[in-house]
């Protein structure tokens, strides 16, 4: 953490201690923090980068922006706190803050409103990160706090706090959030909601006076999770407006909020925050014990939601463990055979998959003991000898002989009451003793925070992976955690369960390097950066209906880049909605993601297999671009249209998918702008028919469409636009651009 005062030298406080001004900047954004001797740091500015006082002489650009500290000093309004107040990284009423406190708790009923004094500032960043760590103490309140700030090279800001109890009396956590300021220009809020098979539906509201809070008590991220709670200038879109977003990287209960009060927020106008939402009494610290929040990620952009997403995506891709090889084409057996496991049938399915270029064959639910439907067997993670007398070896050996990799479905955090495990260990359930939690999908939750339960499940999974050597696990989590109670203590259990699930994933991957894992939680119920630290992709949704998928994948992309989102081609009639869709739309929907198939392709016609073969070859050709480029999304004036694309980081290549979701008001779509192109470049544009030719409703098509393409400048395509053909509803078109 580099520190400068506004005049280039440290400024002493009244007792001779020094006030520091810290400027962290990367990729066009800056976080400028004042670090006083008394009290926690407070943010002077978060947003567009600001030139420093000595920018011409300061090569690293870390000096404090001239005049910022003085310009940010707030007044003291009438009938309020009598002296100007700054709102810190953990605002409380001790700072004059009337909103949700950044930190709250009590010592056995004794209230704590900590008044902090800085002890130490650690200026040593991690090798690939910028930032630093600060420790402060509130001796009268028996607490110590450590604040970690990171400015990633992408411009993503990450914040994490650790609180330690130094008092003899136990301290019970009420709240501990990461809080950053918002300016007065942030007048609108966007977040996401949803349900099973309809995840990540956007909703907007004004950010007036009061609180826009999204809190989850589901014990998992949830189908209705806000994903990224975003505040911005009125009418912001994918390509326009200034936005400030927050995401809590945690897979248990969580909270996100944006809050504006009439008294403002000290040097700021409002705040945006995120953190874990602990159950009452769930985090209780004895003397010397500590609690660390999840990382909370903040992303600012003056180029709309796409700019905000780019910071998340670039940070994810810069992680050392981010998947680096080509993302293999998957065939998952669920919607092909469901629970009807038959070796000969599955071999034929594998043969057909290999013929069209599939690279990974995943055996879904139904392979383990007693699992003929979804009411029994969870927890008994051994192969059902009645169905698989020779184990899974005959199938997996056959799949590998065809040149494909293998995968297997598991759901280790759950248990069916009708299972040997539940009958032997009813006390291992995460529910109040003698009172089962409300059942969901015929399941109860296995309390992995119990060491004996954890070790039992790890032993079964370790033996399974050791014997059958799958390359991939589809890790499911099919229910919310209701009444999560540890037996016999009666303590709330969501935090412990989430931490134990993380530990189980970490231990399994350490024991089996190279094993890939997918986070599937009844589809899109556990999509967050906490689980993605331990998995290699998320299953976006249990629906393969392309019209549902086009929307939910677009909004999933606010946080997650395409290569981490599983997207499959399903049958013509969608299993979850009963809606029919052309194969071309299903293929083009699945293309911009980690592509796969979930369909009984042994029943396909020769024409369908040929189309799938061509689509897979197209995916393999384009995946180096799709999985490394910048995600772009058009702001269409007609909600019946959707334009999504990926542009290479150097601007040399791009792919755009134009889809018509419903009957539009316009007779012809007119010119559609292709965002993200380099305006000083010339591109050859063609439309790719490999996934199928869309049906149209037009007498004469645009000339470029009839000719198969055209050559144009990036400026023409991005600013003037391209006349689109008149597609029929539920049709899509793929454009491929290469620099000339």
């Amino acid at each position: 953490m580099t520190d400068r005062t506004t005049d280039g030298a440290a400024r002493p406080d009244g007792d001779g201690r020094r006030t520091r001004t810290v400027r962290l900047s990367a990729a066009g954004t800056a976080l400028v923090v004042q670090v006083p001797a008394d009290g926690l740091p407070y943010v002077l500015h978060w947003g567009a980068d600001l030139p420093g006082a000595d920018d011409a002489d300061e090569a690293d650009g870390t000096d404090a922006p001239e005049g910022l500290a003085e310009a940010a000093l707030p007044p003291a309004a009438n009938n309020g706190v009598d002296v100007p107040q700054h709102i810190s990284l953990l605002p409380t009423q001790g700072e004059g803050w009337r909103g949700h406190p950044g930190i709250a708790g009590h010592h056995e009923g004794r209230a704590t409103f900590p008044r902090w004094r800085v002890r130490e500032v650690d200026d040593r960043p991690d090798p690939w990160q910028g930032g630093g760590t600060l420790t402060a103490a509130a001796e009268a309140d028996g607490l110590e706090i450590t604040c970690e700030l990171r400015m990633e090279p992408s411009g993503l800001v990450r914040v994490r706090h650790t609180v330690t109890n130094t008092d003899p009396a136990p301290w019970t956590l009420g709240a501990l959030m990461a809080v950053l300021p918002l300016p007065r220009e942030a007048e609108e809020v966007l977040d996401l909601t949803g349900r099973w098979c309809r995840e990540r539906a956007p909703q907007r509201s004004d950010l007036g006076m009061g609180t826009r809070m999204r809190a989850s008590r589901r014990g998992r991220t949830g189908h209705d999770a806000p994903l990224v709670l975003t505040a911005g200038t009125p009418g912001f879109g994918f390509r326009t407006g200034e936005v400030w977003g927050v995401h809590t990287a945690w897979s248990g209960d969580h909270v996100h909020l944006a809050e504006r009060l009439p008294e403002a927020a000290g040097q700021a106008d409002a705040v945006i925050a995120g953190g874990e939402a602990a159950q009452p009494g769930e985090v209780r610290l004895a003397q010397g014990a500590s609690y660390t929040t999840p990382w909370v990620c903040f992303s600012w952009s003056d180029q709309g939601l796409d700019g905000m997403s780019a910071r998340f995506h670039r940070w994810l891709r810069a992680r050392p463990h981010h998947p680096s090889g080509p993302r293999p084409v998957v065939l998952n057996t669920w919607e092909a055979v469901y629970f009807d496991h038959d070796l000969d049938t599955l071999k034929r399915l594998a043969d057909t998959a290999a013929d069209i270029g599939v690279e990974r064959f995943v055996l879904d639910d139904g392979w383990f003991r007693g699992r003929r439907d979804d009411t029994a067997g969870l927890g008994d993670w051994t192969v059902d000898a009645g169905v698989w007398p020779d184990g899974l070896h005959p199938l997996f050996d056959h799949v590998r002989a065809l040149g494909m990799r293998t995968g297997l479905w598991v759901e280790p955090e759950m248990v069916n009451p009708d299972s040997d495990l539940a009958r032997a260990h009813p006390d291992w359930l995460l529910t109040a003793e003698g009172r089962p939690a409300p059942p969901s999908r015929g399941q109860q939750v296995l309390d992995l925070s119990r060491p004996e339960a954890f070790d039992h499940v790890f032993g079964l999974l370790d033996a399974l992976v050791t014997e059958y050597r799958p390359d991939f696990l589809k890790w499911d989590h099919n229910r919310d955690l209701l009444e999560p109670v540890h037996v016999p203590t009666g303590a709330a259990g969501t935090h412990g369960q989430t931490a134990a699930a993380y530990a189980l994933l970490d231990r399994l991957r350490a024991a089996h390097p190279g094993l890939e894992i997918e986070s599937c939680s009844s589809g899109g119920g556990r999509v967050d950066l906490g689980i993605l630290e331990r998995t290699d992709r998320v299953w976006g949704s249990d629906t393969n209906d392309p019209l549902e998928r086009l929307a939910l994948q677009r909004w999933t992309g606010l946080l997650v880049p395409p290569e981490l989102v599983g997207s499959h081609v399903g049958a013509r009639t969608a299993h979850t909605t009963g809606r029919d869709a052309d194969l071309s739309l299903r293929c083009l929907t699945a293309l911009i993601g980690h592509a796969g198939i979930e369909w009984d392709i042994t029943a396909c016609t020769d024409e369908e297999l040929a189309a799938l073969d061509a689509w897979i070859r197209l995916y393999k050709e384009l995946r180096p671009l799709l999985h490394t480029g910048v995600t772009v999304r058009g702001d269409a004036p007609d909600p019946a249209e959707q334009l999504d694309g990926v542009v290479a980081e150097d601007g040399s290549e791009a792919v755009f998918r134009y889809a018509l979701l419903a009957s539009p008001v316009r007779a012809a779509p007119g010119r559609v702008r292709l965002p993200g192109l380099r305006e000083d470049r010339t591109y050859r544009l063609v439309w790719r028919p490999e996934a199928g030719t869309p049906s149209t409703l037009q007498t004469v098509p645009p000339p470029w469409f009839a000719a198969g393409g055209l050559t144009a400048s990036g400026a023409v395509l991005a600013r003037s636009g391209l006349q689109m053909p008149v597609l029929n509803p539920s049709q899509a078109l793929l454009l491929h651009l290469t620099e000339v």
Side-chain angles (χ1 to χ4, degrees), residues 621-640:
E621 174 193 341
L622 296 178
R623 65 186 169 189
L625 166 64
L626 296 174
H627 298 164
T628 63
V630 180
T631 297
V632 295
R633 291 155 290 204
D635 290 306
D638 191 331

Side-chain angles (χ1 to χ4, degrees), residues 228-270:
V228 183
L229 187 144
T230 306
T233 51
F236 65 85
F238 285 108
R239 306 297 301 174
T240 59
E242 191 174 8
V243 295
W244 296 260
V246 61
H247 169 80
T248 301
W250 180 245
S251 306
D253 292 346
H254 58 270
V255 61
H256 298 82
L257 64 84
E259 192 163 42
R260 170 172 280 128
L261 302 180
E263 297 84 3
Q267 73 282 10
D269 190 74

Side-chain angles (χ1 to χ4, degrees), residues 317-598:
R317 288 170 172 170
R319 301 171 304 158
H321 56 281
H322 188 77
S324 56
R327 308 300 282 146
V329 181
V330 175
L331 185 135
N332 185 273
T333 66
W334 177 243
E335 291 190 14
V337 300
Y338 299 102
F339 289 108
D340 187 13
H341 284 201
D342 173 78
L343 178 59
D344 291 337
T345 299
L346 289 165
K347 280 184 173 181
R348 287 195 301 273
L349 187 62
D351 291 339
T352 307
D355 286 344
I356 60 174
V358 169
E359 298 163 302
R360 175 182 285 160
F361 186 92
V362 179
L363 183 65
D364 209 289
D365 195 0
W367 56 268
F368 48 98
R369 191 169 69 249
R371 190 66 165 179
R372 304 281 56 81
D373 58 38
D374 63 0
T375 65
L378 283 181
D380 298 338
W381 299 110
T382 57
V383 176
D384 193 325
V387 179
W388 299 95
D390 299 311
L392 301 178
H393 294 296
L395 176 63
F396 279 17
D397 289 347
H398 183 76
V399 168
R400 293 189 181 105
L402 293 169
M404 294 186 293
R405 292 172 245 179
T406 58
L408 197 61
W409 180 93
V410 293
E411 193 176 0
E413 298 158 77
M414 303 299 162
V415 61
N416 287 128
D418 185 5
S419 67
D420 292 344
L421 178 63
R423 284 185 285 269
H425 298 285
D427 55 323
W428 286 8
L429 303 186
L430 187 63
T431 186
E433 191 167 12
R435 189 181 69 202
S440 178
R441 295 182 60 149
Q443 301 175 189
Q444 293 288 334
V445 182
L446 187 65
D447 187 353
L448 291 178
S449 70
R450 295 181 68 108
E452 61 272 33
F454 181 100
D455 290 341
H456 175 81
V457 172
F458 172 78
L460 291 175
L461 294 176
D462 180 53
L464 189 69
V465 175
T466 298
E467 179 175 0
Y468 292 109
R469 299 177 293 110
D471 305 281
F472 173 87
L473 290 181
K474 179 179 178 180
W475 188 294
D476 221 332
H477 181 280
N478 272 315
R479 63 158 295 167
D480 293 341
L481 275 57
L482 302 176
E483 292 188 295
V485 177
H486 292 297
V487 175
T489 65
T494 299
H495 176 85
Q497 182 74 2
T498 306
Y502 285 173
L504 182 60
L505 286 160
D506 291 343
R507 184 175 173 186
L508 189 65
R509 295 190 68 155
H512 301 279
L515 176 68
E516 288 198 11
I517 299 176
E518 173 185 73
S519 171
C520 174
S521 187
S522 51
R526 191 154 66 175
V527 177
D528 62 80
L529 297 186
I531 201 68
L532 275 170
E533 276 298 288
R534 297 157 176 89
T535 57
D536 302 278
R537 75 174 206 169
V538 296
W539 181 226
S541 176
D542 272 349
T543 185
N544 289 313
D545 182 323
L547 290 178
E548 300 292 340
R549 275 278 181 164
L550 280 170
L552 71 89
Q553 287 176 189
R554 159 176 268 220
W555 291 102
T556 303
L558 282 185
L559 181 70
V560 186
E563 67 271 23
L564 299 183
V565 183
S567 180
H568 294 178
V569 177
R572 179 179 183 86
T573 302
H575 166 76
T576 55
T577 65
R579 182 161 47 196
D580 287 353
D582 286 351
L583 180 55
S584 61
L585 181 67
R586 284 137 59 202
C587 287
L588 288 178
T589 299
L591 183 73
I592 303 181
H594 183 181
I597 300 170
E598 196 149 345

Side-chain angles (χ1 to χ4, degrees), residues 277-302:
Q279 297 278 1
E282 191 167 22
V283 178
R284 185 174 157 87
L285 304 179
Q287 187 174 25
S290 300
Y291 162 78
T292 299
T293 69
W295 283 106
V296 181
C297 304
F298 298 87
S299 183
W300 166 86
S301 166
D302 60 357

